[in-house]
Amino acid sequence: MPPGFWVGGDRQAGWDDIGVVAEGFGLPPVDAPSADFYGLWLGAAGWELRAPAAAGFTPLRLDFSLGATATRLRQAGRKQPLARAVGLKPGHAPKVVDATAGLGRDGAVLAQLGCEVLMIERSAVMALLLRDGLLRTAPAPVAERVSVLQGDARHELAQLARDADVIYLDPMYPHRSKSALVKKEMRMVRDLVGDDPDAGDLLAAALASGMRRVAVKRPGGAPALPGPAPLGCVEGPNTRYDLYAPQADQPSS
Ligand SMILES: C[S@@+](CC[C@H](N)C(=O)[O-])C[C@H]1O[C@@H](n2cnc3c(N)ncnc32)[C@H](O)[C@@H]1O
């Protein structure tokens, strides 16, 4: 947890809920947000992440019914690179473990397309925002097919491989620029959770799990994750999906 982290909210939004969440983080609940540190605030529309004023980020609430996220869900198609990367085909919607859930957007698209998706997120803050956003705002096909597990996927994947078809990974890529391609929300998440320097270990855990297919999202032009070379890839406009098949057969894209 970042130094000075706090949990609070509007009393009318549910003081009991605020107390339960604050206790989970080992903190006393507050009824006024701090402008100096990161914190979680419960308002009428749900839980949001607030950044220190000096960071210049607007509060982050995960809403799957609004804006670019809703458009992505409405326009989701089986031929898009993300869908092809996980092996989605007519008549076959694989069960996906999204082991780097983050803002939940890729996982929600896959659920919209018919996949059952288990999202794993190691940041307790992000997992809370994700669960709350899905509960309050996800369209029915997504809400029905998605579940969220808070934990470090490196330690969970071996157990889960038997019940799924594909592991999907999208670890943070350490962009140094503030380019428009790196959306402000993701910059805020990175500020909070860091750069995922252990992404190579996560890939190793995915490959050791025995899952038939592992797909890793990378920015176009970025190197593959440290570890064995991918066996194939699916190219998107700004993004590449590296494909691995731990059990011999080459994944078809
Ligand atoms: C780039 S974001 C993923 C964005 C996501 N694909 C989306 O569509 O919103 C990476 C996320 O993976 C999480 N993460 C990284 N390593 C993890 C691990 N070993 N286990 C669980 N979560 C992890 C980070 O905390 C971060 O929230």
Side-chain angles (χ1 to χ4, degrees), residues 72 98-107 120-123 126 151-154 168 170-172 186 189 193 196 198 202 217:
R72 255 191 95 186
D98 175 358
T100 53
L103 302 167
R105 292 175 180 167
D106 293 334
I120 311 179
E121 172 53 54
R122 71 174 153 192
S123 155
M126 294 310 301
D152 189 325
R154 288 174 301 167
Y168 175 70
D170 174 20
M172 289 288 180
M186 197 45 81
V189 176
V193 306
D196 297 342
D198 50 6
L202 182 56
K217 183 177 180 178

